[in-house]
Amino acid sequence: QVQLVESGGGLVQAGGSLRLSCAASGSIATKNTMGWYRQTPGKQRELVADITSSGMTNIADSVLGRFTISRDNAKNTMYLQMDSLKPEDTAVYYCLLYNDWNDYWGQGTQVTVSS
């Protein structure tokens, strides 16, 4: 079993920055992918960015150039640096970890960007 704990969400003005963290613990397979998803009421959860254990990244067009994903494998922690935030970035942000056999979700952290 794997546990994921997100932190770093909050309220920020448009143009500001936040850094999200996702700490993983438990039985973590060496080869895995971690990602950030976000969801607003009435909409499907959407991929923001993900990163493999070897460091390959995938960034959604909507945040490309503003958000940066990274991870520290030694700490089993993933980060999302969010700059130039926009009101449309407001959502609950979820951390995901998956491998060939399982997927695990965090509880989510609220990000609110005021105009």
Side-chain angles (χ1 to χ4, degrees), residues 94-109:
Y94 295 91
C95 170
L96 167 69
L97 184 151
Y98 68 91
N99 53 39
D100 290 342
W101 307 276
N102 300 101
D103 57 87
Y104 304 93
W105 290 91
Q107 81 286 354
T109 185

Side-chain angles (χ1 to χ4, degrees), residues 3-69:
Q3 295 79 42
L4 302 173
V5 178
E6 300 108 331
S7 61
L11 173 64
V12 64
Q13 288 188 332
S17 299
L18 284 174
R19 188 192 194 206
L20 304 184
S21 299
C22 173
S25 61
S27 301
I28 302 168
T30 302
K31 182 179 178 182
N32 62 71
T33 298
M34 296 184 75
W36 290 100
Y37 284 71
R38 66 187 183 186
Q39 189 171 25
T40 54
K43 293 188 177 181
Q44 286 190 331
R45 198 169 291 188
E46 64 174 4
L47 173 69
V48 177
D50 59 26
I51 182 168
T52 68
S53 47
S54 61
M56 294 184 63
T57 61
N58 176 38
I59 312 290
D61 288 343
S62 59
V63 303
L64 190 63
R66 301 187 297 119
F67 291 11
T68 304
I69 189 169

Side-chain angles (χ1 to χ4, degrees), residues 67-82:
F67 291 11
T68 304
I69 189 169
S70 62
R71 63 188 288 171
D72 184 335
N73 289 335
K75 296 181 179 180
N76 290 321
T77 301
M78 173 181 63
Y79 307 96
L80 185 69
Q81 178 65 42
M82 304 186 295

